[in-house]
Amino acid sequence: MTHIPPPAEELRLLDAELWQLDGRRAQLLARRAWLVAALQAQPVAPVPVAPRPETSAPRVQNVLLVLGGVLLTVAAAAFTLVSWGHLGIAGRALVLGSVTLAVLAAPVPLLKRGLRSTAESVAGLGLALTVLDAYALHAAALTGTDGTGYAAVASAVLAGVWAAYGRGLGLLPDLSSGASDHSAREEARPLPLRLPLPAALAAAQLPLLLWAIAVDAGPDWITAALLVTAGFDTIVALRTTAKSVRVVAVVGAYGTGGLGVLTAGWLSWDAGGPSAAVRASALLALAAAIALGAARQLPKPGNAMGTALVGGLVLVAAVGGVLRAVLPGGWTVLGYLAGGVALLAAARGRLPEPVRRGLAWASGTVQALALLWALPLVVVVLLGPVGWAERAWTGVPSDARAAVTVDVPWPPYAAAAAVVLAVIAGVLAAVRNATWRPRALTGVLVLAWATALVLPAVLELPYSVGLSAQGVTTAAALAAAAAARQVPTAQTAAIVLSVVASLSLACLSLASEGATLVVLVALTVLFAAASWFARLAPVTAPAALAYAAALACATGASAGWRPEHTALLVLTVPVAAALLAARLGGSPGSPSSPSSPATVPVEVTGAVTGLLAVALTVADPPMLALVLALCGVIAAGTAVRSDRRPVGYAAAALFVLATWVRLASWDVDTPEAYTLPVTVPALFVGALRRRRDPQASSWTAYGPGIAATLVPSLIAAWGDPHWLRPLLLGAAALLMTLLGARHHLQAPLLIGGAVLTLDALHELAPYLVQIAGALPRWVPPALAGLLLLAVGATYEQRIRDARRMREVLDKMN
């Protein structure tokens, strides 16, 4: 049994043990301190840092193997091309065959030892040797054969041999020493080399193309060879699981397929007859079949949709190419459009969703291109009538087409363009998808409007019928805008179309005086009636006012009035705009009155027509003054509204301008005649503001009004040799100074005092000059010295007085 000492003995043993530990710890700490001091006294050698490798060992291995394979290939090629002739036929066959077989067999033991990279390099050399074998065979034994045909056969044989070689290496058993047991050796099998199969697929791109060239086949057969090769690549890309093979197959499919499609498209476009067009279309159909077949098999929706899009476009090109050969030149686009419409119908069949979307996008692309082709016709019909602005009322054109081709040529194939517009409108009308339905309805509205707009010119209808048809189109667009409540985009489009059509109609009516007046009256009434719909009023109400102003100008011109007299008739439009704006209410966001979105557009239109009236009277100053005064009355009436108080400033400015123009027409050159009409109302307005807001500054309330008269009069007084103007100016300045001092206002006091001082100096200047000339020359310096002494003696008192003066001015308002 374990002996347990008494507690006292155990405590003594523990204390002794702890004492020994403390002693040992003290020794170790002392040794540590000595080592630290020794290390600090000696320089510390830098720790060597191993350089970071710039490349990994596998990369170095691959580079060395590739370089070795390339060098061996170059050596083999040099031997074949240079030293070949020194050997006999048997020797040549024996050397090349032995070397090729040895090199091709070398990867087998390398793979068994796990040296895959080395095996890849040696296999690449073996493949290159087979190419040299084929060349050597042609150069030695088959020199009489055609080179292109031999290349076709050789590429096909090499493709098969390389494919079999790659597959055969993949079936070899794994005899490497890396397997730990028999079961592992049975299950583990070496992977096939990555080079032979892609190389075989790359060689397979050449046989058909080279064969077609060798037999002198035409472009059709060469294109077919490209497309068949692309089809083969597509099948390989869809079936294989090896990434390297799939990459080569995809590149080959896109390369040969794209080249084949471009060649087939060129053949279709350049076809000289139906038979050539059919052959080219068959090639395009083959390409489309390959693309659509691949789209159905592709797993990713994005790739499938893009491939189906390309296939659909190629298929449309195939159909359109046949129709192009039998249709007249101007109707070719309709053939392609028919193919696009048929493609849209095919997209509704039992196809994968990505394929159907791709076909739908292809159909939309074809329709968009056809619409772009038809767009010049619409542009000519819309903008062609603008040319009548320089030939207004010169005579009625022969028909609607002549009316729109005043300065622009008529586009060819206009009838086909009109049919394109109608067909696309019908296609959009058939859309039933809930997501695309609103956009389709908007497109139907736009295309139907465009079709109706161009038909009179396309059919060469009479001029009056063309005017009526365009007016009906404008009214129909307005009706559609009023009815399209549930489709905001369609409503907006309809409003824009109505305005555009009305502008074209107004320009078209300029050919005849009577037509101009009738059309402008109709447009004014039409847009005014449409303004009853609150949704349309922000556009239609300003349009009605604009056409009313145009009607006023046309009426004045028809009556033979001078422009300044016509301006009075134009002023009725701003009056109507002001009344209508007051009826509609305040501006959006005004808290004092109900707002209407049409208020601001109506007021802006009224202001613009007022400027038009002013511009018409520029050549007649008395009439210009009258028009300005009437515009001021309209502005003052608008300023009565609580939400339009700032317009009062514009009214005052218009009244002042009217006064100035009237004075200028009377040859009045006295400045006070121009400034007093500004000063009196300005002071009146300032007094009203001070009454409503006693804290308002006198500079804001009275400063502009006082300066408007006193400053120009002071400038005129300094150049006036007479005494009357300086006397009256001084009296007015003295009155202003006294009023400012009486009511403690800064602006009247300072402005009036400054003007009074300058006016007095101007009047006393001749006497001061005489006094200065009579005094001796020493007097001015002496006076200046005395002044400086006086200022210096009373400097502190002057500072105190200046501060007191500043405080008095600060207390003034």
Side-chain angles (χ1 to χ4, degrees), residues 623-643:
M623 189 61 69
L624 175 60
L626 176 60
V627 170
L628 289 172
L630 293 177
C631 291
V633 172
I634 298 172
T638 302
V640 173
R641 294 162 48 193
S642 59
D643 59 318

Side-chain angles (χ1 to χ4, degrees), residues 244-611:
S244 57
V245 178
R246 186 167 60 250
V247 170
V248 175
V250 170
V251 173
Y254 278 108
T256 57
L259 183 59
V261 168
L262 292 177
T263 307
W266 175 77
L267 292 175
S268 177
W269 185 262
D270 196 53
S275 60
V278 169
R279 290 194 300 270
S281 297
L283 295 173
L284 291 172
L286 175 60
I290 295 172
L292 294 176
R296 298 189 63 174
Q297 302 295 326
L298 289 174
K300 294 183 179 180
N303 295 339
M305 189 180 71
T307 307
L309 169 62
V310 175
L313 292 176
V314 175
L315 186 59
V316 170
V319 175
V322 176
L323 296 177
R324 179 176 174 271
V326 298
L327 292 176
W331 297 86
T332 302
V333 175
L334 282 174
Y336 291 99
L337 181 59
V341 174
L343 191 65
L344 185 62
R348 298 180 179 179
R350 295 181 179 180
L351 295 172
E353 179 63 22
V355 177
R356 290 196 290 110
R357 287 203 304 267
L359 293 178
W361 278 103
S363 176
T365 303
V366 173
Q367 295 179 57
L369 293 175
L371 186 61
L372 186 64
W373 176 81
L375 188 60
L377 174 64
V378 182
V379 173
V380 168
V381 174
L382 280 178
L383 301 182
V386 176
W388 287 106
E390 298 179 354
R391 302 174 176 83
W393 299 353
T394 55
V396 177
S398 59
D399 52 44
R401 181 179 297 184
V404 299
T405 55
V406 181
D407 292 326
V408 294
W410 181 249
Y413 316 128
V419 176
V420 166
L421 296 174
V423 170
I424 298 177
V427 172
L428 293 178
V431 174
R432 293 293 179 266
N433 185 276
T435 303
W436 291 92
R437 181 67 176 170
R439 304 174 189 176
L441 289 178
T442 304
V444 169
L445 177 63
V446 174
L447 293 176
W449 169 84
T451 305
L453 195 70
V454 302
L455 276 181
V458 171
L459 301 177
E460 296 185 87
L461 299 177
Y463 172 70
S464 58
V465 176
L467 283 178
S468 302
Q470 200 156 346
V472 172
T473 303
T474 304
L478 284 175
R485 299 180 180 180
Q486 304 299 327
V487 186
T489 56
Q491 185 180 61
T492 303
I495 295 175
V496 174
L497 295 178
S498 64
V499 174
V500 173
S502 65
L503 291 174
S504 178
L505 176 61
C507 294
L508 192 63
S509 66
L510 293 176
S512 170
E513 178 180 349
T516 301
L517 296 175
V518 172
V519 167
L520 291 178
V521 169
L523 290 177
T524 303
V525 174
L526 180 62
F527 281 96
S531 300
W532 288 102
F533 297 92
R535 302 182 305 275
L536 309 182
V539 176
T540 57
L545 293 173
Y547 285 122
L551 177 61
C553 294
T555 302
S558 178
W561 295 352
R562 296 174 58 85
E564 54 270 20
H565 298 151
T566 303
L568 297 177
L569 186 60
V570 174
L571 279 180
T572 58
V573 177
V575 174
L579 296 176
L580 180 58
R583 176 69 177 82
L584 293 173
S587 61
S590 176
S592 59
S593 60
S595 62
S596 172
T599 302
V600 174
V602 166
E603 291 175 340
V604 171
T605 306
V608 172
T609 53
L611 292 177

Side-chain angles (χ1 to χ4, degrees), residues 711-723 725-726 729 759 762-763:
V711 174
S713 297
L714 178 63
I715 295 174
W718 276 69
D720 191 349
H722 303 287
W723 58 271
R725 176 179 279 111
L729 177 62
D759 185 62
H762 173 264
E763 293 302 312

Side-chain angles (χ1 to χ4, degrees), residues 45-69:
V47 179
V49 179
R52 184 177 61 87
E54 296 183 355
T55 184
S56 61
R59 291 185 178 179
V60 173
Q61 169 189 316
N62 293 335
V63 170
L64 294 177
L65 291 175
V66 170
L67 288 177

Side-chain angles (χ1 to χ4, degrees), residues 21 38 42 72 133 148 222 239 292 325 405 415 428 532 554 686 806:
L21 291 175
Q42 297 178 0
L72 289 176
D133 289 342
T148 306
I222 294 176
R239 299 297 182 184
L292 294 176
T405 55
L428 293 178
W532 288 102
R806 186 181 63 184

Side-chain angles (χ1 to χ4, degrees), residues 681-761:
L683 293 177
F684 178 72
V685 173
L688 291 178
R689 181 173 182 180
R690 288 275 298 173
R691 178 175 296 181
R692 294 181 180 180
D693 183 13
Q695 300 299 324
S697 173
S698 63
W699 290 100
T700 304
Y702 302 118
I706 297 173
T709 293
L710 293 185
V711 174
S713 297
L714 178 63
I715 295 174
W718 276 69
D720 191 349
H722 303 287
W723 58 271
L724 181 59
R725 176 179 279 111
L727 178 62
L728 296 177
L729 177 62
L734 178 62
L735 177 61
M736 287 297 168
T737 304
L738 294 177
L739 289 175
R742 172 69 179 78
H743 296 285
H744 302 281
L745 299 175
Q746 286 185 4
L749 177 63
L750 297 181
I751 296 177
V755 173
L756 179 61
T757 302
L758 293 175
D759 185 62
L761 288 176

Side-chain angles (χ1 to χ4, degrees), residues 176-268:
S176 63
S177 59
S180 60
D181 54 16
H182 178 74
S183 60
R185 287 195 299 269
E186 289 295 332
E187 294 178 2
R189 306 186 65 85
L191 296 175
L193 295 179
R194 288 173 294 182
L195 182 59
L197 291 180
L201 185 58
Q205 310 299 311
L206 301 176
L208 289 179
L209 178 62
L210 294 177
W211 171 80
I213 297 175
V215 298
D216 293 331
D220 296 333
W221 287 104
I222 294 176
T223 306
L226 290 172
L227 294 177
V228 171
T229 304
F232 170 73
D233 293 333
T234 302
I235 295 174
V236 173
L238 293 173
R239 299 297 182 184
T240 187
T241 57
K243 183 177 179 181
S244 57
V245 178
R246 186 167 60 250
V247 170
V248 175
V250 170
V251 173
Y254 278 108
T256 57
L259 183 59
V261 168
L262 292 177
T263 307
W266 175 77
L267 292 175
S268 177

